[in-house]
Amino acid sequence: MPIPEPRRLTSLALAALGGLATDAAFPGLGWWPLALLGVGLLFVALGRDSARWNLLVGLVFGLAFFLPHISWAEFAVGAVPWVALSTLEAAFVGLFGVAWSWARRGAAIWWRARWQVPAFAVLWVGMEELRSVWPFGGFPWGRLAFSQADSPLARWAWAGGVPLLTGLVVVGGVLVGLALLALRRLDLGVASGAVLLVAVLVGSGLLVPLDTREEAGRLAVGAVQGNVPNRGLDSFSQQREVLENHVAGTYALAEERGAGSLDVVLWPENGSDIDPRVDAAAGDLVAGAARAVGAPLLVGTLEYPADGGRYNISLLWDPESGPGQAYAKQRPAPFAEYIPLRDVARRFSDAVDRVRTDMLPGTEPAVLQVPVDRLGRDVPLGVGICFEVAYDRILRESVQLGAELLVIPTNNATFGLTDESTQQLAMSRIRAIEHGRSTVQISTVGVSALITPNGRVLQQTELFTAATMTDDLALRTTLTPATRYGDVLTWALRGLAVAIVLAGTAGALRTRREA
């Protein structure tokens, strides 16, 4: 049966409330059930058939969500880029409102209300997929799955990754919306039935088997959060100070654990913005720290090729042989690490000129082989630098290529005391579940954490403090369903989203001709 039509101002208010509720589901508040309520309010708000009106409704929801959700961008680069990025991402939600208006004109959805539930979810996943790849490589921040790290639903990431988890959140949200509509009609039977289905859906995650046992031994891991002055974009103006902080943390690990007791020591992104392979003094500092701890260091640094540009790399430094393998970040952040359309962007903000040398994308898979004498073999690590944790393909490919543990080196110094780092930690926890791998998020300033393969945080640091972490983390080799078949599921959902919109459009045209 058709959905009752809310009044226009009410629908806009519901959309705004839904966006705010959805943001509250993410860290810092982390009230994950509000993601379902937020989607439910959007479902109710999109009750009109007008595509143009639902474009506005979706835009209002998107602005109410993204403006607070990525407020850390305002701290880092200023108000204009923050509002511009929020508006761009909100426009995708507006596009979703248009797609929903067209899709539900199809005969199956129009005459069978139950088909609205999966159709709404598939279209939302399709929208998230689109904004995760376009423009400029996409911006996957704020995907609904990343709000569920503490929810039983998070366990479903093991089965189908972020797209499946997002889809299930939306299914639950639409059921909440149907319950709200039933309450408005005073139909308590339908409302209670919908709420019961939501409870069953959320509880179903507890049935998903998550194995955390070691399969290939354990890796004795040390991680160093050296700390950085809290100066926003100027946090790395004292590059040698930052390097010395991480060197000092490594010496502290050596004193605490003893030389040779760790298999690898992890530094964050930008742990040394001075390339220790080029700068002799920096190289001496890194080499001394590696020898003191008696283990390879994974050093976050920069590489400047002779033909211009720069790479953001994670470099393995052996205590005996020195620099070795390196992974270069494949997804530099647009308007932060490189500036697309620089001349145009400068008209809106002169902050673009802070990025003097554009970062180049790496081309090699995100896997590094760490020699571990205790295990008598090389241990492959999957590395996703900073924002790469939000992209599905990079870490999935690394695990498919054999990664037994995931490392997320990151630099959160430019975001101050905002929620950016805890939002990123939630993503790392979802990735741990998705691929069944122990995961280390190591930041210059926090939040850093050691995470088990089922997403549980073993240790976590505070923001803007010097800290170290150590533990023996399980190494695993089994591929989860999400790792094996995630690409297939993603493309299937993308194709289904397009098919739903096309079928609805065709149905609307046929009805118009018959009229």
Side-chain angles (χ1 to χ4, degrees):
M1 64 183 287
I3 300 174
E5 178 179 308
R7 295 181 178 179
R8 288 178 178 261
L9 291 178
T10 301
S11 64
L12 292 179
L14 289 174
L17 185 59
L20 293 172
T22 304
D23 174 59
F26 289 78
L29 289 177
W31 299 341
W32 61 263
L34 290 182
L36 280 69
L37 175 62
V39 172
L41 291 172
L42 177 62
F43 179 76
V44 174
L46 291 171
R48 302 180 64 87
D49 288 327
S50 167
R52 280 185 293 183
W53 178 255
N54 283 341
L55 170 66
L56 177 60
V57 171
L59 184 65
V60 169
F61 177 96
L63 288 172
F65 171 68
F66 280 106
L67 282 169
H69 187 65
I70 60 171
S71 57
W72 41 262
E74 192 275 336
F75 179 90
V77 294
V80 172
W82 163 54
V83 173
L85 179 58
S86 298
T87 303
L88 173 62
E89 297 306 311
F92 283 99
V93 187
L95 181 63
F96 165 80
V98 173
W100 173 239
S101 300
W102 291 344
R104 69 181 176 197
R105 294 170 184 172
I109 297 176
W110 182 259
W111 295 109
R112 297 174 182 85
R114 64 180 178 273
W115 288 110
Q116 294 179 2
V117 179
F120 199 88
V122 168
L123 288 177
W124 183 277
V125 172
M127 178 271 293
E128 281 197 353
E129 287 297 312
L130 178 60
R131 72 177 186 82
S132 295
V133 298
W134 185 86
F136 308 118
F139 183 70
W141 216 268
R143 298 164 78 182
L144 291 179
F146 297 142
S147 69
Q148 300 298 297
D150 290 313
S151 163
L153 277 177
R155 299 169 70 94
W156 280 107
W158 171 89
V162 169
L164 176 62
L165 179 52
T166 283
L168 292 175
V169 173
V170 180
V171 166
V174 176
L175 290 172
V176 169
L178 292 173
L180 294 173
L181 292 170
L183 284 175
R184 190 168 67 181
R185 301 191 304 269
L186 299 180
D187 190 338
L188 299 182
V190 170
S192 60
V195 171
L196 179 60
L197 286 175
V198 172
V200 171
L201 174 68
V202 172
S204 70
L206 299 175
L207 303 178
V208 178
L210 297 182
D211 193 348
T212 63
R213 294 172 296 179
E214 64 183 75
E215 296 176 319
R218 288 183 173 271
L219 193 70
V221 173
V224 178
Q225 177 178 304
N227 201 21
V228 169
N230 188 4
R231 303 177 188 141
L233 283 176
D234 294 322
S235 291
F236 282 85
S237 58
Q238 304 296 322
Q239 295 174 335
R240 203 164 297 273
E241 177 185 352
V242 175
L243 167 59
E244 290 170 351
N245 286 351
H246 288 89
V247 168
T250 306
Y251 277 100
L253 272 182
E255 185 174 340
E256 174 188 340
R257 289 286 300 253
S261 64
L262 296 173
D263 298 320
V264 67
V265 173
L266 308 174
W267 285 14
E269 177 190 28
N270 303 118
S272 173
D273 268 355
I274 306 167
D275 187 344
R277 297 168 300 179
V278 175
D279 184 287
D284 289 343
L285 287 172
V286 172
R291 287 193 297 268
V293 79
L297 301 184
L298 185 64
V299 180
T301 188
L302 298 175
E303 177 181 329
Y304 291 85
D307 54 352
R310 59 185 174 131
Y311 290 103
N312 183 346
I313 68 171
S314 286
L315 169 69
L316 272 176
W317 191 288
D318 188 87
E320 302 298 330
S321 58
Q325 303 169 66
Y327 164 68
K329 188 176 185 179
Q330 299 176 57
R331 289 292 186 95
F335 302 102
E337 293 174 318
Y338 75 100
I339 307 298
L341 308 173
R342 184 181 289 267
D343 291 340
V344 176
R346 189 181 291 112
R347 298 176 185 177
F348 297 94
S349 174
D350 59 6
V352 299
D353 291 324
R354 289 177 176 267
V355 182
R356 298 184 181 91
T357 305
D358 284 339
M359 189 168 290
L360 305 171
T363 57
E364 297 299 317
V367 182
L368 294 174
Q369 303 288 340
V370 179
V372 179
D373 293 338
R374 184 175 54 81
L375 296 178
R377 64 183 180 92
D378 289 351
V379 173
L381 301 184
V383 182
I385 299 177
C386 198
F387 277 30
E388 289 187 324
V389 70
Y391 294 89
D392 295 343
R393 181 190 61 82
I394 293 171
L395 291 177
R396 180 180 295 145
E397 181 183 55
S398 75
V399 178
Q400 289 172 344
L401 292 174
E404 299 174 14
L405 183 144
L406 299 178
V407 182
I408 312 299
T410 183
N411 162 30
N412 309 109
T414 55
F415 304 111
L417 300 173
T418 67
D419 293 330
E420 187 273 345
S421 58
T422 49
Q423 291 172 3
Q424 196 172 44
L425 175 59
M427 298 179 195
S428 295
R429 294 176 63 192
I430 293 296
R431 295 304 184 193
I433 298 170
E434 178 180 4
H435 300 296
R437 295 295 186 266
S438 301
T439 301
V440 180
Q441 176 168 307
I442 179 62
S443 169
T444 48
V445 300
V447 172
S448 303
L450 305 179
I451 306 166
T452 65
N454 64 354
R456 183 171 65 89
V457 175
L458 292 172
Q459 298 179 42
Q460 179 175 329
T461 66
E462 299 296 326
L463 281 170
F464 289 96
T465 59
T468 60
M469 303 180 296
T470 62
D471 210 329
D472 295 340
L473 300 179
L475 297 173
R476 293 181 51 79
T477 57
T478 297
L479 299 185
T480 67
T483 306
R484 289 182 183 273
Y485 309 115
D487 290 332
V488 175
L489 176 62
T490 296
W491 280 104
L493 289 171
R494 290 173 178 176
L496 190 56
V498 173
I500 289 172
V501 174
L502 292 178
T505 303
L509 292 174
R510 184 172 59 251
T511 302
R512 189 175 302 169
R513 284 196 301 269
E514 292 172 355

